[in-house]
Amino acid sequence: MSRKQTPSEFLKQIIGKPVVVKLNSGVDYRGILACLDGYMNIALEQTEEYVNGQLKNKYGDAFIRGNNVLYISTQKRR
């Protein structure tokens, strides 16, 4: 049985890993989590923007303001 993690521990563990960031607007950003702060402001690398499941844009680096974030989840490598 695995040990339960706090959200803070989970976020520290996934830095440098592929993630999906879902915004309140429904848009998804997928990329490598570079860093985040206590306000959930997020910096992603190799970022892809998906709207309704369709790839819309690719960005090198992206900064997402924390108040727009619905959730962050890990992404399986393709």
Side-chain angles (χ1 to χ4, degrees):
M1 184 180 229
S2 65
R3 179 178 88 73
K4 293 191 180 204
Q5 291 182 311
T6 66
S8 178
E9 290 171 334
F10 168 73
L11 292 171
K12 286 178 188 170
Q13 185 180 13
I14 64 170
I15 290 175
K17 299 207 163 96
V19 295
V20 176
V21 179
K22 178 95 167 179
L23 302 188
N24 296 324
S25 65
V27 176
D28 288 355
Y29 287 90
R30 300 176 190 180
I32 308 299
L33 181 62
C35 62
L36 63 128
D37 66 13
Y39 296 102
M40 288 290 288
N41 295 316
I42 298 167
L44 294 176
E45 299 171 340
Q46 302 170 30
T47 309
E48 298 175 335
E49 178 184 41
Y50 288 84
V51 179
N52 297 323
Q54 300 274 18
L55 177 63
K56 290 294 178 188
N57 279 307
K58 290 187 177 188
Y59 307 101
D61 295 331
F63 180 80
I64 301 170
R65 189 169 170 182
N67 67 333
N68 295 314
V69 176
L70 184 61
Y71 68 79
I72 302 174
S73 68
T74 55
Q75 176 183 343
K76 300 277 191 262
R77 291 199 187 266
R78 295 181 211 198

